[in-house]
Amino acid sequence: AIHGAAGNLSMIQVAAQLMAQIPQDELEKTAVILADERLLLPLLDAIPENIKHFNVTMGLSLDQLPLSAFIYDIIKLHTEAIEEGYYYKGMINILESSFAHTLLENDSRSLVKFIRDNNLIYIAPSSFDAVSKSAILHMILKPIKNVGELIKIVQTVLQQLKTEMLKQENRRLEIEQLLGVTEVVQNLSTIIDNNEEIKDLKTVAYLYKQLVPLKNLDFIGEPVRGLQIMGLLETRALDYKNTIMLSVNESILPAGKSTASYISNDMKYQFDLPTYSEKDSVYAYHFYRLLHRVEKAAFIYNTEGDTLGGGEKSRFLTQLETDQISKHVLTHKHYIFKNSAIKEDLMVIKKEPSYFERLDQIAASGFSPSALTSYVRNPIDFYASKILRISDMEDVEENIAANTMGSIIHEALDKLYQPYVGKVLIKEDFDTIKNQIKTELDIAYNECYTSDSAPLGKNKIIYEVSSHYIKKMVQSDLELVKNGQELIIKSVERKLEAVIEVPQIGKVKIHGMVDRIDQLDGKLRIIDYKSGATDKGNVGIDPEDFTILREDYKKAKAFQVLMYTYLYSLNDTFTEASAGIISFKNFDKGYIPFAFKAGRSYTEKTIDTTVLEKFELELFALIQELYNKEIHLTEKPV
């Protein structure tokens, strides 16, 4: 029987089904043959429960086992170390390994959490002093001066692992791995001792990578009991009643041309040296010899064409198909995954009493524009973040995120303008402000981005971009003053809050943090800084369609500036004001005010009581919708 399955795991599953069908009395007369020996570990995991005994007569290369990767991670940690310390990703790879858990127990989890909580990009040897007193961890993190010290660290780790594993049960396979890796490290130590010129840590890592695949882990089993698992070469001179062979693909069986020799094929032919065709002949002999006395043979090949030659069954199978031998009864089976269209129903959540309890808490503490617009964007996101208070999983922020960059710019600009609140700005003031930019930017950077290291790489670029945006903002204000306009900063980073009476709901608190309120030639301006791109369409609406503010998230910025102006009107009396966005991403557009759509263009609209009354109706409607039991929280495709 020839079976086609897509992918290695599919082949393993087909083999598992075939193994489960073998009668108990025929198990000893059955062989599972792996043309690709790398499938051994997944096959061992997939052996059905009805097979109690099996014998593995093939080795497994050490480089396929997790312990060799763990030791390589320790070597790599020191290889990639710089003056600031060890890179956090390498450290996390080590700490998340099961072997680290054996050495450090629960410390391994708490150390990973410590790295993430403190945003450690580089870990110094003393970084974990407050969290763990483990001697083995201290030894792994100890800076090394030469390759000999690195070998000693690895040998100590292996010795400690052996001590811990011998105390536990069912760790026989890991102990076998330990013995194999210890031998490799011993060979590595001998090579280094005999070659004084090896002084570079990268050479140690390279040699380790070269030596590990050469060492095989041999399995010990009972050769006359149960199912036999082997490679093709182990089948010579043996007869089986049933055989299951995996990876019967071209380029695996036979392997075909190989470039693992410096002698060209022409030279081999000239001097009668064995070529790849002789090797293919050996495999062909074993393949057909195996079929001599077999009653049932199953050949499984990979149909997935993800590599060159992938998906093509072996020429040996093609020959079986084309040979006119009546004694063979050939069957073909193809295993395919049914791909049915996935219909995702949008999530609908009914409003339970607990929802209203939490909503009342928010109403008491205050609804912010971002909370309300998150509901407009997707009610389920609002439910997760505001009602259930589920925050995104924290990780080490290696590169400054876009929102962190925005926070840095906001913070620096607030501190720069704080001393000049309420004063008519003059040209000389900007000289002082410009001199303070670097100082305030550094303070803001350290406050918003937790890291011991100075800005490096991508962070350095973002730091300089932040500096550029701040300078452009200051220069923009200076130009206004130079042009003879009167600029007064009324407040920066002002928190506005008010309690409003929402019909059918009652008292509800709303609040917001306005980045800047200024007065330009006597005209009040309420300004929000944005680090992302903004255009007029985001801050403008159709004068006949205020309902879009609570229906379309694209108008979230218009909603935000209107809510800030509405809050300001409840705190300070005024007749009219301009409200808008200054976007750092597209700074050339300058101040983008709230506008009304007229045809295809947008015209600035001064916000007066009429506009605020219309906005108030939409605000009330949005809060009423939040409280409406009949309107379920329905997911929006974002």
Side-chain angles (χ1 to χ4, degrees), residues 140 176 180 256 266 278 286 296 330 435 451 576 591 595 604 610:
I140 290 171
E176 289 289 337
D266 292 337
E278 274 77 20
H286 286 301
K296 279 185 182 176
L330 268 176
N435 290 334
S451 181
E576 57 180 27
Y591 171 67
E604 181 179 354
T610 311

Side-chain angles (χ1 to χ4, degrees), residues 140 152 159 318 553:
I140 290 171
K152 279 180 187 170
Q159 186 58 46
T318 308
Y553 182 70

Side-chain angles (χ1 to χ4, degrees), residues 532-545:
T534 304
D535 58 39
K536 289 179 181 178
N538 300 129
V539 198
I541 61 166
D542 187 329
E544 303 300 319
D545 186 21

Side-chain angles (χ1 to χ4, degrees), residues 95-143:
L95 293 172
E96 287 185 339
S97 166
S98 61
F99 298 104
H101 188 66
T102 302
L103 289 171
L104 305 170
E105 295 180 345
N106 292 328
D107 268 11
S108 59
R109 290 192 187 94
S110 58
L111 289 167
V112 171
K113 186 175 185 299
F114 181 77
I115 291 171
R116 289 178 172 145
D117 289 349
N118 293 279
N119 210 70
L120 298 176
I121 297 173
Y122 286 100
I123 291 146
S126 58
S127 294
F128 293 144
D129 286 355
V131 192
S132 175
K133 304 291 180 194
S134 167
I136 193 80
L137 179 69
H138 187 266
M139 190 264 304
I140 290 171
L141 290 174
K142 188 181 172 185

